């Protein structure tokens, strides 16, 4: 199945945004060869000199396509290099909300096993991407005693900020983070282009879409700025792991950091062969070539449906993407998924976990309810292209 057609099961506008706002740059420019640092203009950079420069910054922002293992391998190597320069490193994570900070602290302290960490952090509720993508970074922090910093808010709060304005969420819940700076016209155009990528029938309101993204940017920037300010005269180097769409061209989080007075930052982005934008010095501080070898990527199995939790049994399907595994299985908007394989489905996260464990070339039995009738369907997951 074409990967470009697969839609991850996420939660409302934010979930679709998380999938679509990563790796959006597609151009014909020269990419760095795997293992090489390059400026956006195409100049090969000296790694040692780059790391020495980065170690003097207030914040370094590492982009990613969330579902790409090679991006996370690159992040781990960069974290290790920067930790060698700045042992006072703090790793910021887009993946979890601030309410889960005690869980991150307990993980670094060695108080939780992996299963308990996933459960206590509500990983599949707040993020949903396969935790195997992030375990190496989480273990790196634990082994070296590097603090982890939750950057986000719960999705429901981000939605309320985006839909109802900054006062829709009380100051205590948003940790006193101030109202965001207005996005640039360039960012608006960038987000409008992303919006056009949504499948027909799944496209949210443009103004709310942009406002939600800006709120998301501001909350992450606020967490980074607060951690730097809390360091006093010797603040740590905050290295934040964030989707590339929040970082490219300095539009999102960097713009909000600048408004908060954190101006000495650098954006680093991974690039696979054939994924480079035209030479634009504003894209990032530096690019790193990753191999993009599909043999070492997670399968990323997806049904291609948009889900929501529901008071009735199971989870309800809002939309089914054309050409998806879900459509081929016969799933329809309005269906309630009750069971997947041997697992009863009580929450969106339950179905995510089951689907992520499905190997390409296998199938998954589904029990659904449609208009009061229970049906058995089979979702067949093809081999990767």
């Amino acid at each position: 199945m074409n990967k470009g057609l697969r839609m991850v099961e996420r939660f409302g506008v934010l979930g679709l945004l998380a999938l679509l706002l990563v790796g959006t740059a597609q151009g014909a420019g020269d990419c760095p060869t795997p293992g090489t640092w390059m400026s956006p203009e195409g100049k090969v950079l000296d790694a040692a000199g780059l790391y020495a420069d980065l170690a003097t910054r207030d914040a370094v922002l590492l982009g990613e396509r969330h579902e790409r293992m090679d991006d996370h391998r690159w992040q781990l190597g960069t974290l290790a290099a920067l930790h060698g320069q700045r042992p006072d490193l703090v790793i910021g994570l887009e993946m979890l909300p601030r309410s889960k900070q005690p869980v991150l602290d307990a993980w670094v302290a060695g108080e939780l096993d992996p299963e308990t960490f996933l459960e206590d952090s509500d990983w599949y509720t707040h993020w949903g991407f396969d935790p195997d993508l992030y375990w190496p970074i989480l273990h790196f922090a634990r082994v070296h005693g590097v603090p982890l910093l939750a950057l986000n808010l719960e999705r429901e709060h981000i939605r309320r900020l985006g839909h109802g304005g900054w006062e829709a969420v009380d100051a205590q819940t948003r940790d006193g983070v101030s109202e965001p700076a207005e996005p640039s016209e360039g960012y608006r155009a960038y987000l409008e282009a992303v919006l056009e990528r949504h499948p027909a029938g799944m496209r949210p309101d443009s103004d709310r879409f942009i406002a939600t993204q800006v709120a998301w940017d501001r909350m992450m920037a606020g967490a980074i700025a607060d951690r730097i300010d809390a360091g006093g005269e010797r603040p740590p180097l905050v290295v934040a792991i964030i989707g590339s769409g929040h970082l490219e061209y300095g539009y999102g989080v960097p713009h909000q950091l600048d408004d908060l007075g954190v101006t000495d930052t650098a954006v680093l982005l991974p690039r696979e062969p054939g994924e480079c934008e035209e030479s634009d010095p504003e894209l990032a501080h530096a690019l790193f070539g990753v191999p993009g070898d599909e043999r070492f990527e997670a399968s990323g199995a997806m049904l291609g449906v948009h889900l929501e939790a529901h008071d009735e049994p199971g989870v309800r399907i809002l939309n089914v993407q054309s050409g998806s595994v879900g459509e081929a299985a016969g799933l329809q908007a309005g269906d309630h998924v009750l069971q997947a394989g041997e697992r009863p489905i009580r929450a969106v996260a339950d179905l995510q976990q089951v689907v992520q464990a499905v190997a390409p070339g296998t199938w998954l039995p589904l029990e659904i309810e449609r208009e009061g009738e229970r049906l058995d369907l089979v979702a067949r997951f093809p081999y990767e292209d």
Side-chain angles (χ1 to χ4, degrees), residues 26-92:
Q26 299 287 330
D30 291 334
C31 290
T33 57
T36 301
W37 287 101
M38 181 182 286
S39 72
E41 302 94 326
K43 178 184 177 182
V44 175
L45 302 175
D46 172 67
L50 175 64
Y51 292 132
D53 170 61
L54 295 171
T56 68
R57 306 285 181 136
D58 293 325
V60 176
L61 311 177
L62 305 183
E64 67 176 51
R65 289 184 301 163
H66 303 311
E67 80 284 6
R68 298 299 288 177
M69 182 65 84
D70 270 345
D71 288 9
H72 301 295
R73 295 186 180 106
W74 159 72
Q75 288 172 333
L76 179 61
T78 303
L79 286 166
L82 291 175
H83 184 255
Q85 300 266 351
R86 288 285 299 273
D88 59 337
L89 198 71
V90 172
I91 301 174

Side-chain angles (χ1 to χ4, degrees), residues 12-32:
V13 173
L14 285 185
L16 296 173
L17 197 59
L19 178 65
L20 292 164
L21 278 174
V22 290
T24 56
Q26 299 287 330
D30 291 334
C31 290

Side-chain angles (χ1 to χ4, degrees), residues 95-159:
M95 299 80 219
L96 292 175
R98 298 151 191 255
S99 61
K100 298 303 178 181
Q101 185 62 51
V103 181
L104 291 177
D105 295 340
W107 169 260
V108 173
E111 298 169 3
L112 304 176
D113 60 39
E115 183 177 351
T116 305
F117 171 81
L118 294 177
E119 181 178 347
D120 290 357
S121 67
D122 292 324
W123 178 272
Y124 289 99
T125 297
H126 295 299
W127 194 237
F129 287 94
D130 191 341
D132 284 349
L133 296 163
Y134 295 91
W135 279 129
I137 291 171
L138 294 170
H139 281 289
F140 173 84
R142 185 169 184 159
V143 167
H144 294 282
V146 176
L148 294 170
L149 177 67
L151 300 181
N152 235 321
L153 275 189
E154 282 78 4
R155 294 174 183 271
E156 63 183 88
H157 296 319
I158 293 289
R159 285 194 196 93

Side-chain angles (χ1 to χ4, degrees), residues 14 154-170 173 212 215:
L14 285 185
E154 282 78 4
R155 294 174 183 271
E156 63 183 88
H157 296 319
I158 293 289
R159 285 194 196 93
R160 288 171 58 199
L161 289 170
H163 294 186
W166 210 246
E167 297 307 318
V169 175
D170 64 85
T173 300
T212 298

